[in-house]
Amino acid sequence: MHIFLKATLILLVSALWSAQSASPDPVQIEPAQRDVWSRGSQRFHKQWLVAGALSPDVANRTNAATLEPMEGRAFSTDVANVRWKAHTSWTEITELNAIAGMPDDGAQRVAFVAGTVSRERAGAADLSIGAQGPIAVWLNGERIYERTKSHAAFARDSERIAVQMRQGENALLLRLEQVDPNAWPFTVRIIEPGALLARSEVIVPYLRGSTNQVEVHTNLTADSAAPLVEVTALGAGGRVLARGTAARGESVTLDASTWSEGAYEFRVTTKDAWGQPYLVHLPWYKGDAAGAAQRLIDAAESAKEEIYSAHLRLLAQIVRDRTNGQLNAALPGLEARIHSPLLEYEEIELDRAQRVGSVRPGGFVRLGYVDQIDGSVQFCRAYLPSNYSDSQRWPLVLSLHGYNPENPPLHRWWSIDQRHSDIAERKNVIYIEPHGRGNAQYISLGERDVLRCLQEAKARFAVDDDRVYLTGESMGGHGTWAIASRNPHLFAAAAPVFGGWDFRVSTIRGPALAENQPSNALEFYIQERRSSFVNAENLLNVPLLVIHGDSDATVSVENSRHATRMLQRWGYNIRYWEMPGWGHEDLQQRLALIDWLLEHRRDSAPRRVRLRSADLSGARAHWLEARAMGEPQRLIRAEAEVVKPGLVRIDSENLAAFDLTLPQSLRGSTQELELVWNGQSQRAQLDNGVARIGMALSKPRGVRKRPGVEGPIPDIINLPFMVVVGTTSRDPHMRRSIEERARDLQDVWMAWQYQPLRVMRDVDVSAADERAYSLILLGGADANAVTRRLGNRLPMSVSAHSIEVDGKRWTVDDAVLQMIYPSPRAEHRYVLVVAATSAMGMQLWKPEFVEPAIGIGFIASDWTIRDGRRPPPLATVKPSDRDVASGVFDANWRRAARWTEDGDAAVRSAWRLRRPALEPYTPSAETLESYRGDYDFGQFVATLSVEGSTLVAHVPTQAPLPLEPKGPNLFRTLAYPTKDAIEFIVDANGTVLGAEVDTQGRTIFGKKVQ
């Protein structure tokens, strides 16, 4: 029987296998990590090639069938000055004005837009288009649609065209005419036939108006069955001047004859199909907008109060920028261009008169403060809910912007004059958008700015401290990880969106590279310090929502996956949304993200906390705050738990002293805490609720590294500072070199922060200055009077042939020391000494507190000694060999052999010696010609040309960079903010082999290819 069953089973399996093998349609097994099925994509197309702006005459003469769109190619043979530009839209709406480089003469323009759409199979589809002006469409070279009339307003998906698509790539070409001088938007998406699209805009209202009467059309199309639309006319301060109600698609006419001259808004409200409110604001100006703008500019020039004056200057800059400096009443669309700064100015004046101005329901408030770092006035934007009042406490959301590659001045920053926030109005939250000092990665002074914005908001508005939230995208996502983990006590929850990176995972744009992996403890510490997740343990009591698209080519999704897995393993409250097919773009999750955040309240008295930090300033987790570490360049770790009220267990590593600030519910009933710290029991008295605990610490100089004063060198810009220019050297070359370095530092700061630095000659610095500021001392004791006054209290000395740091001497010529140290004059300030053995050595110093292109510093040392030795091109170099010596001070600000790195003298002796000229240097015309040509740097090719008597570098995506000669074969970028050094490598016959560029903390080599 068993044999029979076995044989039967074999025959059955064989038959099934044969049937499956012979099947003409084998089973397609979906992957385990499958995507959610849908009939077809409804996403908007975002990748385009744009050619414009063209005059209508040129556009009309163009045969679309002959166009060959390609990035950088001329639009046509007779329009060589217009080239196709590649553009990827951040949102689903593509705005052509900025891409096409629209002139401000008011003339109508035309643009051609080309894109490629891929389809899995041939067949029918629908092309859904949104455009306000006339439009023509070609698909695969055939004109399929044309509209010659304009719509009254722009709406997504306003037209739908049935088309036939090829399998594979389909070429799409659009001809778009501009009708609104202030906006030129369009949208395109390919959808399945008959697909039902969710309505993007519930209503699309628009204005028709004169001086005395305004007609508000409530929607492009009529719908008498839809909820009614209410129109409210608002003046500055939210004054209600008139109201009206109409059916959707009808209009409301309001009498404006008695209204005074000024800026107004029309608030148009209705409800969607689900009964949820929907709100649109329409700007309008009555009277002479150009005259009002001139009054604003005049007021900005005469204002005296620091923040008020800076605020008016910012608005005046916005006006000039929006009008291209041509404040002309005849400029088309003038009122709309400058409506926002004019209305903001009116509300500022109401605020100053102590009347209802900007702080009101639905208000827009630009919070300002003086940042003592450099004396600049900084601003952040605050949006208030539609029903805001001081009678209740409101949740607050801090939203951090991403990296802006243009690094513009503030008045040109994204959304700088945006008056309304959909999030504030629809979610009833105070919505704050800090500037974060621009491209500063939300570290150092960038983090300070965000925290100061929160402080200013709490002082000005009715904020619920237990409902403060943090979110941000891209660089702002990194900032969310960093700031939340360094300040977990402030936030109820946080939501980083496609931001955050770690050297173990990727280089931001791709997988981790071997060159990024540390080979020793110091390199590990440096890389860990830059990780977005270095303080992740501190988030034990902060719920997290992480969102990332799996096709993100800018910030690898592996970073968010890594962080999520890591925190989930620890049992942390973290949720992850991964969006298949989405890249580094607007993921359209902001409203849902806010809903998730609002589910949480801050845990103000957690019983258990964890701590991990690479520095003391970030070593805080709720009621546990580090005050001192045992060793530098080593992580601080701790886990603490309140076992019962008044009894605390703390296990730690590298934690020498700390404060406990327990909430009342965790303290117990006495003024004493019982602790078990690393297994040792002790008692601590409470002083105003704070218990200060620490080891007995030796203080040989009376100073210790402490939060805010712990180095390394780039930390000098995290406290109010002044640049002190040495003038007392007997060597005129040294004086000149110091002046040049001071100008370099000014230029770097201006290019990054658009703010002049405090710069003073050494002989003019007062005792009050020394107490008020950290001092960047350019020049040693022989060249700077302040350095000389402080000399016996600083652990360094410099002579013509040697440099000494805290008892160790290096014999060097033409070298420069930079060293950060606590100021002998002020407890919470630094001095940074830049002292050279010679004028040549001073020429070699470069301000590296920050790399303006990306907003971070690269030096992890407290002191470095550098000379002109440079490694050969493409050589593998130990980082420590780049300096004569470098190191960090220990917890007592003492140098020790353990934390001193000496460059290998034998290796360095074979390197080239760079020697900039001490006097102005002019290369010959023949020499300049020898540098002309292309240089292949691997990731890009740079072209060098000679323009007049100037060598100019042309680098992709950047403006031309004039090069300043600094010596034989040695230049530096003149227009570029970091003033990178460029050295041409020449063989014994004088042939130029390539160029070596020092940039972003490393050296790159470009081989000359022609």
Side-chain angles (χ1 to χ4, degrees):
M1 185 64 177
H2 291 293
I3 296 175
F4 174 77
L5 286 174
K6 183 176 180 180
T8 303
L9 183 60
I10 292 172
L11 289 172
L12 179 60
V13 171
S14 177
L16 288 172
W17 176 257
S18 299
Q20 183 178 16
S21 301
S23 172
D25 185 20
V27 174
Q28 298 295 317
I29 300 176
E30 292 185 87
Q33 192 68 34
R34 65 183 179 275
D35 292 336
V36 175
W37 180 88
S38 66
R39 179 167 174 255
S41 173
Q42 294 186 3
R43 296 193 57 193
F44 288 86
H45 196 71
K46 297 184 178 182
Q47 295 179 319
W48 302 102
L49 287 169
V50 179
L54 302 163
S55 69
D57 288 343
V58 171
N60 291 338
R61 294 196 308 268
T62 299
N63 181 357
T66 65
L67 293 177
E68 297 180 353
M70 181 179 295
E71 183 178 4
R73 175 178 289 174
F75 173 71
S76 65
T77 54
D78 59 337
V79 193
N81 62 320
V82 176
R83 296 184 176 273
W84 291 96
K85 301 177 184 177
H87 175 77
T88 299
S89 177
W90 179 261
T91 67
E92 58 195 29
I93 298 176
T94 302
E95 171 57 61
L96 283 173
N97 267 353
I99 309 168
M102 285 299 298
D104 284 313
D105 57 9
Q108 296 302 104
R109 292 294 188 268
V110 176
F112 283 84
V113 178
T116 301
V117 182
S118 180
R119 296 283 288 180
E120 289 186 0
R121 61 181 63 88
D126 284 354
L127 177 63
S128 183
I129 299 173
Q132 185 176 0
I135 180 174
V137 183
W138 290 260
L139 180 63
N140 296 322
E142 178 184 353
R143 186 194 290 253
I144 60 169
Y145 179 75
E146 183 173 14
R147 170 171 52 80
T148 58
K149 293 183 178 180
S150 298
H151 292 318
F154 167 76
R156 286 165 282 194
D157 300 313
S158 56
E159 287 143 289
R160 190 156 166 171
I161 310 158
V163 297
Q164 288 292 321
M165 308 287 289
R166 298 173 180 170
Q167 182 180 16
E169 301 299 310
N170 291 260
L172 192 63
L173 180 68
L174 286 73
R175 180 189 187 275
L176 297 157
E177 293 188 28
Q178 183 201 38
V179 294
D180 183 346
N182 296 305
W184 195 359
F186 77 94
T187 58
V188 172
R189 54 177 163 175
I190 303 290
I191 55 178
E192 298 304 314
L196 179 62
L197 298 178
R199 188 182 296 247
S200 298
E201 297 93 0
V202 175
I203 54 173
V204 182
Y206 58 96
L207 296 178
R208 294 278 191 262
S210 62
T211 302
N212 296 320
Q213 202 172 61
V214 183
E215 186 178 4
V216 183
H217 293 262
T218 59
N219 195 32
L220 286 171
T221 58
D223 186 352
S224 59
L228 295 176
V229 181
E230 182 180 31
V231 176
T232 306
L234 301 173
R239 287 181 300 120
V240 176
L241 292 102
R243 281 195 174 96
T245 302
R248 191 172 297 183
E250 302 296 324
S251 62
V252 174
T253 301
L254 302 174
D255 181 7
S257 59
T258 61
W259 301 358
S260 60
E261 179 176 322
Y264 296 89
E265 289 182 324
F266 294 92
R267 185 175 63 205
V268 187
T269 60
T270 188
K271 292 184 178 180
D272 65 15
W274 300 100
Q276 296 300 308
Y278 186 84
L279 172 64
V280 180
H281 286 89
L282 302 174
W284 185 69
Y285 195 89
K286 179 179 179 180
D288 180 9
Q294 188 59 57
R295 289 191 293 275
L296 164 60
I297 292 171
D298 293 342
E301 293 175 351
S302 61
K304 303 299 181 184
E305 300 170 38
E306 192 167 17
I307 296 177
Y308 172 65
S309 173
H311 197 161
L312 295 193
R313 287 197 304 274
L314 173 60
L315 297 183
Q317 288 171 323
I318 294 173
V319 166
R320 293 190 184 97
D321 186 63
R322 301 302 184 265
T323 60
N324 200 27
Q326 300 174 5
L327 194 55
N328 185 343
L331 188 66
L334 173 69
E335 292 84 357
R337 295 182 190 214
I338 61 176
H339 175 271
S340 176
L342 292 185
L343 182 51
E344 187 173 347
Y345 176 44
E346 290 185 41
E347 294 195 329
I348 291 172
E349 296 306 298
L350 289 173
D351 289 337
R352 286 170 57 80
Q354 297 185 343
R355 297 168 58 190
V356 176
S358 59
V359 182
R360 58 175 174 84
F364 167 63
V365 187
R366 201 180 300 274
L367 299 171
Y369 72 94
V370 178
D371 191 341
Q372 295 300 333
I373 293 285
D374 55 1
S376 62
V377 176
Q378 297 295 321
F379 294 99
C380 69
R381 300 191 299 273
Y383 301 93
L384 302 180
S386 298
N387 55 345
Y388 175 81
S389 77
D390 287 336
S391 62
Q392 69 178 77
R393 296 285 169 179
W394 297 85
L396 180 147
V397 176
L398 285 161
S399 179
L400 308 183
H401 65 74
Y403 178 79
N404 188 336
E406 301 299 325
N407 187 37
L410 180 59
H411 65 274
R412 291 182 178 171
W413 204 267
W414 298 318
S415 307
I416 190 64
D417 55 353
Q418 178 180 309
R419 284 194 54 84
H420 295 281
S421 162
D422 193 42
I423 291 174
E425 291 164 348
R426 295 180 63 177
K427 297 302 179 182
N428 279 326
V429 301
I430 300 172
Y431 194 65
I432 306 289
E433 294 184 334
H435 186 52
R437 300 297 299 247
N439 289 342
Q441 301 294 328
Y442 299 105
I443 58 176
S444 184
L445 71 171
E447 177 187 15
R448 286 171 51 98
D449 178 82
V450 174
L451 298 181
R452 180 62 184 268
C453 286
L454 177 57
Q455 177 185 330
E456 294 293 325
K458 287 183 174 182
R460 191 85 179 268
F461 311 131
V463 176
D464 185 344
D465 287 341
D466 289 332
R467 291 189 293 165
V468 174
Y469 309 97
L470 184 64
T471 186
E473 299 176 357
S474 193
M475 183 180 79
H478 158 76
T480 301
W481 280 107
I483 293 176
S485 63
R486 292 169 63 86
N487 305 275
H489 59 290
L490 294 176
F491 303 108
V497 180
F498 52 64
W501 37 82
D502 188 287
F503 67 92
R504 303 165 184 83
V505 178
S506 82
T507 60
I508 299 180
R509 290 186 178 272
L513 301 178
E515 63 194 51
N516 286 336
Q517 303 309 301
S519 61
N520 55 51
L522 173 59
E523 292 176 13
F524 163 76
Y525 172 82
I526 293 171
Q527 293 281 28
E528 188 75 341
R529 188 181 176 103
R530 295 171 183 166
S531 168
S532 304
F533 317 124
V534 60
N535 298 72
E537 280 86 338
N538 305 1
L539 294 166
L540 174 61
N541 302 291
V542 180
L544 294 162
L545 170 62
V546 181
I547 307 178
H548 213 130
D550 72 351
S551 298
D552 195 325
T554 300
V555 179
S556 170
V557 68
E558 292 299 333
N559 289 287
S560 289
R561 292 171 177 170
H562 158 72
T564 301
R565 286 194 299 265
M566 181 170 65
L567 270 67
Q568 283 177 338
R569 288 178 66 233
W570 302 342
Y572 282 31
N573 186 351
I574 183 168
R575 184 174 180 181
Y576 181 46
W577 298 350
E578 185 166 294
M579 301 180 62
W582 290 75
H584 206 72
E585 58 188 305
D586 180 4
L587 300 182
Q588 301 176 22
Q589 295 297 323
R590 293 188 186 94
L591 293 175
L593 177 154
I594 298 298
D595 287 337
W596 183 89
L597 289 174
L598 292 173
E599 295 174 2
H600 303 280
R601 297 182 68 88
R602 180 180 61 152
D603 186 350
S604 58
R607 297 180 185 177
R608 188 178 178 211
V609 300
R610 288 200 184 105
L611 185 64
R612 184 181 192 264
S613 183
D615 63 346
L616 290 167
S617 296
R620 176 172 184 176
H622 301 276
W623 39 263
L624 172 63
E625 184 174 7
R627 287 194 299 112
M629 66 177 70
E631 297 179 357
Q633 293 190 332
R634 185 178 162 206
L635 294 172
I636 301 167
R637 309 170 196 261
E639 183 178 43
E641 182 179 10
V642 180
V643 179
K644 66 179 183 179
L647 175 60
V648 184
R649 171 189 61 82
I650 299 174
D651 296 315
S652 69
E653 182 179 273
N654 201 33
L655 182 63
F658 56 90
D659 288 348
L660 293 178
T661 310
L662 293 173
Q664 184 63 55
S665 61
L666 302 180
R667 289 183 206 160
S669 58
T670 68
Q671 290 300 305
E672 185 179 62
L673 293 181
E674 183 180 355
L675 293 100
V676 178
W677 181 15
N678 289 338
Q680 300 295 314
S681 297
Q682 57 180 287
R683 294 185 176 274
Q685 295 295 317
L686 292 172
D687 181 5
N688 291 322
V690 180
R692 298 188 179 277
I693 297 99
M695 301 175 181
L697 304 173
S698 60
K699 296 185 178 181
R701 292 200 185 98
V703 291
R704 277 195 63 84
K705 289 192 171 181
R706 57 186 182 275
V709 187
E710 55 186 304
I713 288 169
D715 204 41
I716 189 73
I717 66 171
N718 207 25
L719 294 170
F721 68 93
M722 170 186 288
V723 181
V724 181
V725 181
T727 63
T728 59
S729 174
R730 296 180 180 179
D731 181 357
H733 292 305
M734 175 65 83
R735 295 196 300 270
R736 181 171 175 269
S737 291
I738 289 173
E739 290 172 359
E740 288 179 348
R741 301 295 75 72
R743 284 196 298 271
D744 287 349
L745 182 50
Q746 275 276 33
D747 290 348
V748 167
W749 201 263
M750 282 295 295
W752 184 40
Q753 290 296 321
Y754 299 95
Q755 169 69 18
L757 290 176
R758 301 181 187 94
V759 179
M760 190 174 290
R761 298 192 314 157
D762 53 351
V763 294
D764 298 326
V765 174
S766 67
D769 294 327
E770 293 178 1
R771 291 191 296 269
Y773 302 112
S774 292
L775 305 175
I776 298 177
L777 303 174
L778 300 184
D782 63 322
N784 189 305
V786 179
T787 309
R788 186 161 55 252
R789 285 202 298 270
L790 302 179
N792 62 351
R793 302 181 65 181
L794 301 175
M796 48 75 62
S797 65
V798 176
S799 64
H801 303 290
S802 68
I803 293 176
E804 180 179 325
V805 178
D806 198 17
K808 181 171 180 177
R809 184 178 299 275
W810 288 264
T811 301
V812 285
D813 291 316
D814 298 329
V816 60
L817 164 74
Q818 58 179 343
M819 183 193 77
I820 195 169
Y821 195 76
S823 172
R825 301 293 197 226
E827 183 179 0
H828 297 290
R829 296 291 183 264
Y830 287 115
V831 292
L832 178 75
V833 181
V834 180
T837 61
S838 65
M840 178 67 69
M842 184 60 73
Q843 288 273 21
L844 300 171
W845 181 71
K846 177 183 176 181
E848 293 177 301
F849 315 134
V850 69
E851 166 57 53
I854 55 178
I856 63 173
F858 288 99
I859 302 177
S861 305
D862 292 336
W863 57 272
T864 65
I865 301 173
R866 294 184 174 175
D867 62 8
R869 297 284 176 184
R870 308 297 302 162
L874 307 180
T876 301
V877 178
K878 287 178 57 179
S880 59
D881 288 341
R882 291 185 176 274
D883 299 324
V884 174
S886 62
V888 293
F889 293 110
D890 67 11
N892 294 312
W893 286 99
R894 298 299 304 263
R895 189 200 61 78
R898 181 179 176 184
W899 294 295
T900 299
E901 292 270 353
D902 287 303
D904 190 315
V907 170
R908 300 182 84 258
S909 64
W911 292 359
R912 297 189 318 279
L913 183 61
R914 181 177 293 174
R915 297 184 63 82
L918 293 178
E919 298 287 352
Y921 175 80
T922 302
S924 66
E926 293 77 13
T927 300
L928 286 178
E929 281 297 319
S930 71
Y931 302 138
R932 185 196 296 268
D934 292 340
Y935 294 76
D936 186 355
F937 286 89
Q939 299 294 322
F940 64 92
V941 174
T943 300
L944 270 64
S945 64
V946 179
E947 301 178 12
S949 59
T950 303
L951 189 63
V952 180
H954 302 269
V955 180
T957 74
Q958 294 185 19
L961 305 176
L963 304 184
E964 177 188 19
K966 297 300 295 179
N969 298 320
L970 184 62
F971 290 74
R972 68 174 183 175
T973 52
L974 188 58
Y976 201 56
T978 52
K979 299 194 174 182
D980 294 332
I982 300 175
E983 184 172 4
F984 291 95
I985 309 303
V986 180
D987 65 13
N989 298 320
T991 302
V992 178
L993 304 177
E996 192 175 81
V997 183
D998 295 341
T999 182
Q1000 298 186 10
R1002 61 196 180 104
T1003 301
I1004 60 175
F1005 176 74
K1007 181 179 180 181
K1008 190 175 183 186
V1009 294
Q1010 75 174 55

